[in-house]
Amino acid sequence: MNAWAAAALVLLAGPVPACLWVVARGTTVRRLAGASLLSTVVGAVFLLLPGAYDRSSYQDLALMLAVLAPAGTLVFTRFVAGWKHDTRPASGAPGNGT
């Protein structure tokens, strides 16, 4: 095991379980923060793995995660929060015919 793999293991052993706990048990806002932090930590692990295994293709995973994680976090939060917003227009709003 080299230093790159040890650094990735430290990131997987420390922050990842804490983030998963917050995502599973927190309020909606805390779940959003936990999911965002989890994607950041996993992205850092994906950046450490190319040095550990001497494969540059793992950097592509980190790039894709960095691009897709914010949208995935927002979708996850939307499903966790549910549809709390009323989609009907207000009674005096323009365009509803009243």
Side-chain angles (χ1 to χ4, degrees):
M1 177 182 290
N2 58 14
W4 296 104
L9 184 63
V10 166
L11 282 176
L12 285 175
V16 169
C19 291
L20 290 175
W21 177 262
V22 170
V23 169
R25 300 283 181 168
T27 62
T28 303
V29 174
R30 289 182 186 233
R31 287 180 182 199
L32 174 64
S36 294
L37 183 60
L38 182 63
S39 65
T40 303
V41 170
V42 171
V45 169
F46 283 160
L47 285 175
L48 291 170
L49 289 179
Y53 297 120
D54 198 26
R55 294 180 181 250
S56 62
S57 62
Y58 289 154
Q59 290 175 346
D60 296 340
L61 292 173
L63 178 64
M64 290 306 296
L65 182 65
V67 170
L68 296 176
T73 301
L74 292 176
V75 168
F76 172 77
T77 305
R78 184 66 175 163
F79 282 121
V80 169
W83 295 94
K84 293 183 180 179
H85 301 291
D86 191 9
T87 57
R88 294 175 291 160
S91 60
N96 65 355
T98 58

